Amino acid sequence: MYAAVLPNRQGPPLFIVFRRRLGSGGMRLGSSWRWQLSRAMKLALRWCRPCRLQKGGWVGGSKGLIGHRLSKLWMYIKLLLRSLYYNSLTNSDTLLDCAFEPVYWIVDNVTHCFGVVFVCLVVLLTSSVVIIVYLFVLPTIFTTYPMHWTAWHLCCGHWLLILVVFHYYKATTTTPGYPPKDKCDVPSVSICKKCITPKPPRTHHCSICNVCILKMDHHCPWLNNCVGHMNHRYFFSFCLYMTLGCIYCSISSRNLFLEAYNAIETSFQTPPDHSPRESVAYKCIIFLWVLTSSVAVALGGLTLWHAKLISRGETSVERHINRKEARRLQEKGKVFRNPYHHGRLNNWKLFFGVETRSHWLTRVLLPSSHLPSGDGITWDCTYTRSDPVAI
């Protein structure tokens, strides 16, 4: 064991201890943890020391020197704190996401817990509309409409009802599609930070289901399921035919609604001259028209939005990503191209799985459980490798 004394211009002499390592021919410092401990102690003493060596003697530190040391200590602490969270890629969007993370957590958990409630609500409201139509609307159609109009209402109404029930059942029970986890040769563009597994193109992580989804569009609480590659067609078809069904019910019951509304309004001014059964019928007709008209407007807007996305070959998630990428490339004087856009008509054919003309009838206008085009892992792209794309 050897000790060496070294002069130190900023403090008392430093004592450095050397130890000969048996079996080796050189000198080295002590063990790593001892060196780290001595380093930390020396740093702490350096910051806390109120004096400094000046011209061979010790003098008391002034207030300015103490303030200077405190400011340097504060800067050092800030540097340590920033090293825990700072990222050169951090921007305002990242900060907002971090600020709203508790809100996202609450929404995700509430949506996950109340998914079954939303599904039951859809079933209950749809069933109530069907019951009201069978009890009050169809008898009126049978007694007042001619034969050909009656046949048309029966065929159109039941066709829409079958399509709505079929596509809603398939959308809720069909898995959206998950990337394989037991294969190593899956083409991927990144690694999921939550699943720690490769992510194929167009695959995104659902925070509610806590799993990656192939060609994820969004998580629908009314389905209690994610909308992905395997059930995207069922979801859109349900929205489309539910909107058409609500429009049909709203138009068909318009005259009955006006009659029921006038009767209810008159009953508030004069004693009612209708029976209790007629009063219940009037209220049911009003409920039917208000519900179907409201759903037609709200769901119709959602259906038009998704139709626009399908025409562009995008999903809801990709829409936001592509917009950011387009703005970024525009600043550099470049033009963004969506690699999954094959033209509007071809996008619709790929979405519905239409390969022949007869498929527009058998796969779009009639219930069909055929699989979507592709496996959701590899995609046909319309760009070369040198083109800028968003992943």
Side-chain angles (χ1 to χ4, degrees):
M1 188 80 64
Y2 299 92
V5 181
L6 298 180
N8 187 7
R9 300 180 58 185
Q10 298 182 355
L14 297 179
F15 293 89
I16 301 179
V17 179
F18 295 91
R19 183 178 59 183
R20 180 186 301 272
R21 184 173 181 180
L22 297 178
S24 63
M27 305 292 293
R28 59 174 298 178
L29 291 174
S31 59
S32 177
W33 69 271
R34 292 184 179 179
W35 183 84
Q36 294 288 348
L37 180 60
S38 63
R39 181 76 174 175
M41 293 178 62
K42 184 179 70 173
L43 184 61
L45 291 175
R46 179 181 176 185
W47 286 115
C48 298
R49 187 171 59 243
C51 305
R52 67 175 179 177
L53 186 63
Q54 209 173 50
K55 295 182 180 180
W58 291 93
V59 296
S62 62
K63 295 183 178 179
L65 178 61
I66 296 177
H68 176 68
R69 291 187 177 279
L70 290 177
S71 64
K72 293 182 68 175
L73 178 61
W74 172 243
M75 292 175 60
Y76 181 71
I77 294 175
K78 287 200 301 182
L79 178 62
L80 291 179
L81 293 177
R82 292 190 67 184
S83 66
L84 299 177
Y85 68 88
Y86 180 75
N87 192 328
S88 60
L89 302 178
T90 302
N91 52 21
S92 59
D93 294 338
T94 306
L95 295 178
L96 287 176
D97 288 341
C98 294
F100 282 93
E101 190 66 28
V103 179
Y104 298 152
W105 183 86
I106 294 175
V107 172
D108 291 346
N109 285 271
V110 169
T111 304
H112 179 74
C113 296
F114 286 88
V116 179
V117 177
F118 291 146
V119 172
C120 294
L121 185 61
V122 172
V123 174
L124 179 62
L125 293 177
T126 305
S127 302
S128 64
V129 170
V130 173
I131 292 173
I132 293 173
V133 169
Y134 271 103
L135 290 179
F136 304 109
V137 178
L138 284 181
T140 304
I141 292 176
F142 289 151
T143 56
T144 57
Y145 283 36
M147 183 62 66
H148 63 279
W149 278 111
T150 302
W152 185 86
H153 278 287
L154 286 176
C155 294
C156 180
H158 287 87
W159 171 67
L160 290 173
L161 177 61
I162 291 173
L163 288 175
V164 167
V165 173
F166 171 80
H167 287 110
Y168 186 73
Y169 172 77
K170 296 295 289 186
T172 54
T173 58
T174 303
T175 58
Y178 311 112
K181 297 182 179 181
D182 54 347
K183 295 183 179 180
C184 301
D185 57 344
V186 176
S188 59
V189 294
S190 62
I191 300 295
C192 179
K193 296 183 295 184
K194 302 294 182 64
C195 299
I196 317 298
T197 55
K199 289 172 58 176
R202 313 188 77 177
T203 299
H204 301 279
H205 186 87
C206 176
S207 58
I208 299 176
C209 298
N210 196 26
V211 69
C212 287
I213 306 297
L214 295 175
K215 191 194 170 186
M216 178 180 177
D217 189 88
H218 69 287
H219 183 94
C220 182
W222 302 102
L223 302 179
N224 193 27
N225 195 7
C226 273
V227 177
H229 175 66
M230 303 300 294
N231 64 346
H232 195 182
R233 177 177 66 89
Y234 296 131
F235 165 77
F236 178 78
S237 298
F238 164 72
C239 293
L240 176 63
Y241 290 116
M242 177 63 84
T243 301
L244 295 177
C246 290
I247 294 175
Y248 165 77
C249 291
S250 179
I251 295 176
S252 301
S253 61
R254 176 178 177 275
N255 294 330
L256 294 176
F257 166 74
L258 294 176
E259 179 183 353
Y261 182 80
N262 293 329
I264 294 296
E265 187 179 14
T266 304
S267 65
F268 287 107
Q269 300 175 357
T270 59
D273 56 352
H274 48 265
S275 63
R277 186 178 183 279
E278 292 178 342
S279 178
V280 173
Y282 290 152
K283 294 178 181 179
C284 290
I285 293 296
I286 293 175
F287 169 78
L288 168 69
W289 191 87
V290 171
L291 177 62
T292 54
S293 300
S294 303
V295 173
V297 173
L299 192 58
L302 179 64
T303 304
L304 291 176
W305 165 252
H306 280 278
K308 182 179 179 181
L309 295 178
I310 295 171
S311 300
R312 295 180 175 181
E314 296 177 328
T315 63
S316 299
V317 178
E318 293 171 349
R319 172 62 175 168
H320 299 289
I321 297 176
N322 292 347
R323 289 182 64 183
K324 291 182 179 180
E325 188 69 10
R327 288 196 298 264
R328 185 183 69 85
L329 293 177
Q330 186 178 7
E331 295 175 355
K332 298 182 178 181
K334 299 181 181 180
V335 179
F336 172 77
R337 291 177 54 194
N338 180 15
Y340 310 112
H341 179 50
H342 303 277
R344 294 185 178 180
L345 182 58
N346 291 330
N347 289 337
W348 283 104
K349 287 182 178 180
L350 290 173
F351 180 77
F352 283 116
V354 174
E355 300 175 358
T356 61
R357 290 186 178 180
S358 61
H359 286 169
W360 289 105
L361 173 64
T362 58
R363 294 189 173 185
V364 179
L365 299 179
L366 294 177
S368 176
S369 58
H370 65 278
L371 297 176
S373 302
D375 56 1
I377 299 176
T378 57
W379 300 90
D380 293 332
C381 301
T382 59
Y383 68 96
T384 59
R385 291 184 179 274
S386 60
D387 293 329
V389 296
I391 296 175

